[in-house]
Amino acid sequence: IAAYCTARGFGAERHGGRWLVAGSAAAALALLTRQQGALIPLAIAVFLLLTGRLRPNRVGLATLLQIGALPVAAGAGYLFWLRFVNDVPSVQQSVLREAAAQGWPGTWLLLQRLTVYELAYVGLFALPIAVAALPTGRRLLASMSGRGRLVFAIWEGVLLLGVGAAWAAGRRMPYIPQFFGSGGLGPPDVLGSRPRIFDANALGWLTVVCVGASLLLALLAARGAGAPPPSRRAKAGLVLAIGLGQVVGVLPPSYHYLGWTAGSLDRYLLPLLPFAIALALWAARGVRLALPLGWLVVALLAAFSIAGTRDYLVFMDAVWNMARTANAAGVPNERLDAGSAWDGYHLYELSVAGHIKPRALTKGPWWVYFYAPATDSSYVVATVPQPGYVVAMTRSYPAWLARGPTRLYLLRRLWSPWPARPMR
């Protein structure tokens, strides 16, 4: 919305300032949704400066205020609330320290990984457009300009080298799973994770499809790079600048996960999705797309999304019902670990208010230390039996995409007493 309003503002002969303020308001709302929204007005200002549309005079100052005043005010209010009302979460406090500790070697490693991952995920985000452009791929390659060939060569080289290195290391798409992984949709933050619905062979094919789609999008981007510079190309440049700003925004929170195998989380890439689709559609203007193929992919993705979302909601409902069963039998939440959502909802504020140190007797999952140090994990809800625990209860739950039985277990630590009341 911010990109659209800003583009309208600079293309309008009348009421241009109103459009810029509307775009500024959208950017302020984006900032309040996630902090990397602060990069939207910054990216707009950099683009206008580099293209000569922002000059050091009264008009330039007025434009700068129209673009940045509301996001600055929203950011200042948010920081005041965070610091003096809500209290700054420890993870947010550690971002700058972690970035400084990783230094240039860590930054360079993140840049290498994330560049490749983002190019692959862009192929996934704009898959219907890429498939629709598949029949014209050869003609796009033949009609490419010199500048377009350079864009395509860089995109292709970085993507294929990076994916090849990741493949040799045993990594397949999705490279940074959290909300989309081998277990389907939704974060797997229950002990034992979620049953896999994609095996290694399926993930290999997913990688091939995403790489192919990304290369088709590279052809479209190369065609757009060689287009003459009308006003619409300037608007596309503005959208690209904002999108690149969001690419930069992926970096700071990723320092926290640099030591992990993935190195980041897929939800940090979500702001790239609308920009990938918008720019792909812009680059495909004048191209005869096979729309039935594109809509077929949309339908398949929609079916998977609906089924995967339904399965995750059913899974979480089963987890919470089992935790409530344990409560009803006399197991207090201070002795129960039922995954990050349950633990955070029931124990986070208690743990923070009481300055409680981790009570779990054995090293548990990350959320116990982050959200719920008040629990000693005498009882846990898990998807598979765990060492040191015995099964107190087993329940099944239905899943449309599952390849086998789906069960949940309420486990009791070996030396922990049985609850006061029977579990039903």
Side-chain angles (χ1 to χ4, degrees):
I1 295 174
Y4 172 79
C5 291
T6 305
R8 285 291 301 268
F10 282 100
E13 296 181 1
R14 299 178 58 191
H15 308 305
R18 296 180 184 179
W19 281 107
L20 293 181
V21 172
S24 177
L29 293 175
L31 187 156
L32 295 176
T33 302
R34 188 163 184 82
Q35 292 91 324
Q36 70 191 72
L39 296 170
I40 294 176
L42 181 61
I44 293 172
V46 170
F47 172 79
L48 297 178
L49 187 64
L50 293 178
T51 56
R53 290 175 170 82
L54 190 63
R55 300 183 181 278
N57 53 31
R58 181 180 299 178
V59 175
L61 178 60
T63 300
L64 198 60
L65 288 174
Q66 289 169 336
I67 293 171
L70 289 178
V72 168
Y78 170 76
L79 291 175
F80 178 86
W81 170 82
L82 188 66
R83 178 66 180 84
F84 298 104
V85 179
N86 181 75
D87 196 14
V88 183
S90 58
V91 171
Q92 290 192 9
Q93 292 177 340
S94 66
V95 168
L96 291 178
R97 293 197 301 270
E98 290 173 337
Q102 296 294 345
W104 173 245
T107 301
W108 176 237
L109 179 59
L110 273 180
L111 287 173
Q112 293 177 75
R113 286 181 177 178
L114 292 177
T115 300
V116 175
Y117 295 169
E118 286 161 354
L119 290 178
Y121 273 89
V122 162
L124 177 62
F125 292 159
L127 183 60
I129 301 171
V131 171
L134 182 60
T136 61
R138 182 175 297 180
R139 290 195 296 273
L140 291 174
L141 186 61
S143 62
M144 198 180 301
S145 67
R147 183 190 300 171
R149 290 182 185 277
L150 177 61
V151 170
F152 180 76
I154 294 174
W155 188 316
E156 179 186 34
V158 171
L159 178 63
L160 294 184
L161 286 175
V163 168
W167 191 287
R171 294 194 296 273
R172 308 287 190 270
M173 275 288 289
Y175 290 119
I176 45 179
Q178 186 195 22
F179 281 78
F180 173 46
S182 59
L185 302 182
D189 297 335
V190 173
L191 200 62
S193 191
R194 296 177 63 197
R196 294 170 64 97
I197 63 173
F198 297 114
D199 58 17
N201 186 53
L203 295 180
W205 279 109
L206 176 64
T207 304
V208 171
V209 168
C210 291
V211 169
S214 183
L215 291 176
L216 282 167
L217 294 173
L219 287 175
L220 291 174
R223 177 179 179 273
S231 60
R232 289 188 179 180
R233 182 172 169 183
K235 295 178 181 179
L238 177 63
V239 174
L240 176 62
I242 298 175
L244 291 176
Q246 296 308 296
V247 169
V248 175
V250 178
L251 194 62
S254 298
Y255 283 103
H256 183 68
Y257 303 96
L258 189 56
W260 296 25
T261 302
S264 189
L265 300 177
D266 55 12
R267 59 189 171 93
Y268 297 152
L269 303 185
L270 282 179
L272 308 184
L273 189 153
F275 296 101
I277 294 174
L279 290 169
L281 289 173
W282 174 83
R285 69 201 190 289
V287 175
R288 187 177 181 130
L289 298 177
L291 293 181
L293 287 178
W295 283 113
L296 175 62
V297 175
V298 170
L300 293 174
L301 291 175
F304 172 75
S305 299
I306 293 169
T309 301
R310 179 263 176 200
D311 282 357
Y312 186 71
L313 293 176
V314 169
F315 168 71
M316 291 305 300
D317 185 57
V319 170
W320 281 51
N321 282 336
M322 183 165 277
R324 292 189 186 103
T325 299
N327 285 166
V331 178
N333 287 320
E334 291 83 354
R335 305 194 65 197
L336 176 65
D337 167 23
S340 65
W342 175 276
D343 292 2
Y345 183 83
H346 291 91
L347 292 174
Y348 179 75
E349 292 184 355
L350 172 67
S351 302
V352 171
H355 303 285
I356 298 175
K357 301 297 182 182
R359 298 177 58 214
L361 300 180
T362 57
K363 183 174 176 58
W366 65 267
W367 57 83
V368 169
Y369 298 91
F370 186 72
Y371 289 142
T375 182
D376 65 5
S377 300
S378 294
Y379 286 79
V380 299
V381 177
T383 58
V384 293
Q386 300 293 315
Y389 288 84
V390 294
V391 177
M393 176 183 288
T394 304
R395 283 180 179 172
S396 298
Y397 63 92
W400 289 351
L401 299 179
R403 311 178 77 186
T406 49
R407 297 187 180 92
L408 282 175
Y409 300 88
L410 179 62
L411 306 177
R412 176 182 62 88
R413 188 178 281 122
L414 286 171
W415 56 82
S416 297
W418 283 93
R421 294 181 290 277
M423 287 180 284
R424 299 174 183 173

